[in-house]
């Protein structure tokens, strides 16, 4: 994505794969992501394919190598519906976070052209997505993204530049983007569609 912006590598595991290839998967994970620690994040079918529901299910952070398989099974166990195509995502755990949160590239309820940034400061990178904290919020009209001012230790320009690059990769779709900032860089964790917002704004246009 450019200097100071990164999409974290990830490894996805389905329920079907975990049942048949757990030992092989563990070896592959270490080869791709290193020795840990890891972040183990939910990616259930009912969480990702319609409206975004980030934080609906369990995610586990700072997971050591020896607890990886157990943690993957814990996340699968948090799903309300069992499906062999449900997935869990494993990523390197980003340490020393200073800010984390979610960017909606449109207003999430009706799809209006307002970018919304929700964030909280500190090392708890699940505080916003889990609903544990309300955090801070900023709403920006889509036509005024070029000259943002940083807010405290939130490097807003760096974050929004990264978001625009993600939108360009994903053809400008309405997105829910989870992110972390350390003192050195901005990391993109997950990107989900906001299809509910897109459908809602289209229905309003046709009224």
């Amino acid at each position: 994505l450019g200097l100071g912006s990164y999409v974290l590598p990830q490894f996805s595991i389905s329920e079907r794969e975990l049942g048949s290839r757990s030992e092989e998967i563990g070896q592959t994970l270490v080869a791709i992501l290193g020795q840990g620690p890891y972040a183990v994040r939910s990616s259930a079918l009912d969480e990702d394919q319609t409206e975004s529901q980030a934080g609906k299910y369990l995610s586990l952070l700072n997971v050591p190598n020896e607890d990886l398989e157990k943690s993957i099974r814990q996340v699968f166990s948090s799903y309300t519906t069992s499906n062999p195509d449900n997935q869990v995502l494993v990523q390197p755990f980003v340490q020393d976070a200073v800010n984390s949160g979610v960017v909606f590239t449109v207003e999430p309820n009706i799809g209006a052209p307002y970018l919304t940034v929700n964030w909280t400061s500190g090392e708890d990178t699940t505080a916003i997505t889990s609903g544990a904290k309300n955090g801070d919020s900023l709403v920006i009209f889509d036509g005024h993204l070029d000259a943002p001012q940083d807010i405290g230790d939130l490097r807003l320009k760096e974050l929004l530049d990264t978001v625009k690059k993600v939108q360009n990769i994903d053809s400008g779709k309405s997105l829910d983007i989870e992110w972390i900032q350390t003192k050195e860089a901005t990391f993109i964790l997950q990107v989900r569609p906001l299809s509910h917002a897109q459908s809602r704004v289209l229905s309003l246009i046709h009224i």
Side-chain angles (χ1 to χ4, degrees):
L1 291 178
L3 185 64
S5 302
Y6 303 92
V7 175
L8 282 182
Q10 67 179 30
F11 188 89
S12 60
I13 306 159
S14 70
E15 286 190 32
R16 180 186 292 108
E17 291 170 327
L18 185 64
S20 61
R21 299 170 49 218
S22 59
E23 183 175 346
E24 177 187 345
I25 285 170
Q27 295 170 352
T28 304
L29 270 168
V30 171
I32 294 173
L33 303 180
Q35 292 289 337
Y38 308 101
V40 182
R41 301 181 185 278
S42 62
S43 185
L45 289 175
D46 64 346
E47 186 179 19
D48 290 340
Q49 288 192 349
T50 55
E51 62 185 278
S52 175
Q53 300 186 64
K56 179 178 180 180
Y57 298 122
L58 180 67
S59 289
L60 298 171
L61 304 180
N62 203 15
V63 175
N65 185 295
E66 60 269 23
D67 292 340
L68 184 56
E69 182 176 344
K70 179 180 72 174
S71 298
I72 291 170
R73 294 185 184 279
Q74 278 184 268
V75 174
F76 274 126
S77 295
S78 73
Y79 297 170
T80 54
T81 303
S82 179
N83 187 309
D85 293 323
N86 279 336
Q87 293 186 334
V88 163
L89 305 181
V90 182
Q91 296 174 304
F93 174 64
V94 177
Q95 303 187 62
D96 302 319
V98 293
N99 293 294
S100 60
V102 177
V103 171
F104 299 109
T105 60
V106 296
E107 199 286 325
N109 295 309
I110 64 170
Y114 295 91
L115 184 142
T116 303
V117 183
N118 296 325
W119 80 97
T120 186
S121 299
E123 295 187 2
D124 183 359
T125 59
T126 65
I128 293 294
T129 56
S130 68
K133 292 183 181 179
N134 292 327
D136 296 300
S137 295
L138 179 67
V139 178
I140 309 170
F141 180 62
D142 195 30
H144 296 100
L145 297 181
D146 294 329
Q149 300 295 314
D150 289 348
I151 301 175
D153 57 6
L154 175 66
R155 301 190 304 280
L156 187 59
K157 184 179 189 312
E158 180 181 307
L159 175 62
L160 297 186
D161 285 347
T162 303
V163 167
K164 284 188 282 188
K165 291 172 185 175
V166 172
Q167 285 184 285
N168 290 336
I169 293 169
D170 211 357
S171 304
K173 293 179 181 177
S174 301
L175 302 172
D176 168 348
I177 301 171
E178 294 183 38
W179 56 273
I180 290 173
Q181 281 187 339
T182 64
K183 291 181 178 179
E184 292 78 28
T186 296
F187 296 89
I188 299 300
L189 304 181
Q190 291 192 63
V191 179
R192 293 183 171 93
L194 277 171
S195 55
H196 174 73
Q198 290 174 311
S199 301
R200 174 64 174 155
V201 74
L202 287 173
S203 69
L204 290 174
I205 290 170
H206 286 98
I207 289 176

